[in-house]
Amino acid sequence: MSDDTTQPSAPPRAKAKILDALKRAERAMFTRPAPKSARAQMKFLLTRAKGSTKAVATGLGVSRSTVERYLSGASKKPQKRLQAALVEETEAQWQPQVRAQARQRAATSGGLVISCRAYFGFTANGSSDEGRVKDIITAVSPSHAAQILQEMEAGATDKDLQPLLAEAITWSYFQEGGTTRKGLRADFTEVEWLEIKY
């Protein structure tokens, strides 16, 4: 019998490719690795929660006694769901200043680099052009990066972020920085893979 007592969980969600790509981009900016063992992760999360085991338990979707067992070392090997939650929560809170600086740079001077394979459907001046799957690498402007990152921080979903990425890719790649095809709009759907870099 497992000792990873869980609270009722939400139904499984669709894979959040955009949010996952943004999180991977932030992890790549870390200057030192996040804690790896369950006990070290619990200790780190407890510090971030100002000593509240209840807050840690709520964030992980487990009971307080589960948190206490890992903190004391009585439990060491979490089940897959708890292990994934520990990694997610730890990395989401790890090196907040490094993450904030990376976001600030992207939003003011550096922008983002988006690499993807997706289906792009095109509309220009009221008429539709035949869509197609394309591999794209493009540097997105700081103003577009700022909008994407601001929405992510506000709790946006992939569905919220998708039109923002479509607009950013249209402007930087298909309109070549706004210099050509002014009326063009490219829809960005059926994403096969996506990488984002600061």
Side-chain angles (χ1 to χ4, degrees), residues 17 28 39 52 55 62 87 104 107 114 120 131 135 137 188 190:
K17 289 184 180 173
R39 187 177 188 190
S52 169
V62 297
V87 169
Q104 179 69 15
I114 296 176
F120 291 91
D135 289 338
I137 298 176
F188 166 71
E190 298 172 35

Side-chain angles (χ1 to χ4, degrees), residues 18-188:
I18 297 170
L19 286 169
D20 286 350
L22 286 164
K23 288 174 187 172
R24 284 195 307 275
E26 290 195 336
R27 285 197 297 268
M29 302 302 293
F30 291 160
T31 57
R32 54 183 206 280
K36 297 290 183 215
S37 75
R39 187 177 188 190
Q41 289 165 334
M42 286 289 189
K43 284 183 174 180
F44 167 73
L45 292 173
L46 187 67
T47 302
R48 296 289 297 164
K50 297 179 171 53
S52 169
T53 53
K54 183 179 180 182
V56 175
T58 301
L60 295 170
V62 297
S63 67
R64 283 174 79 170
S65 60
T66 297
V67 171
E68 287 158 4
R69 282 196 299 274
Y70 281 95
L71 287 169
S72 70
S75 294
K76 292 183 180 169
K77 292 191 176 179
Q79 281 187 338
K80 200 172 179 181
R81 194 207 64 78
L82 177 56
Q83 188 170 12
L86 276 166
V87 169
E88 175 85 14
E89 284 292 309
T90 300
E91 290 186 345
Q93 297 184 52
W94 187 246
Q95 292 195 320
Q97 288 178 323
V98 170
R99 203 164 40 246
Q101 286 165 0
R103 289 181 185 180
Q104 179 69 15
R105 253 192 328 274
T108 56
S109 60
L112 296 169
V113 175
I114 296 176
S115 310
C116 66
R117 180 175 177 80
Y119 178 86
F120 291 91
F122 303 96
T123 308
N125 302 320
S127 65
S128 292
D129 195 3
E130 192 173 322
R132 56 193 172 275
V133 173
K134 281 186 74 70
D135 289 338
I136 283 177
I137 298 176
T138 189
V140 170
S141 72
S143 60
H144 283 112
Q147 197 176 7
I148 291 163
L149 296 171
Q150 190 175 4
E151 290 298 314
M152 180 185 78
E153 285 180 54
T157 64
D158 260 37
K159 190 176 178 182
D160 302 322
L161 293 169
Q162 199 141 359
L164 297 178
L165 260 73
E167 182 185 320
I169 291 168
T170 298
W171 187 86
S172 65
Y173 185 85
F174 295 106
Q175 294 180 341
E176 297 174 14
T179 60
T180 63
R181 298 179 242 173
K182 299 278 188 191
L184 182 76
R185 196 184 90 226
D187 295 320
F188 166 71

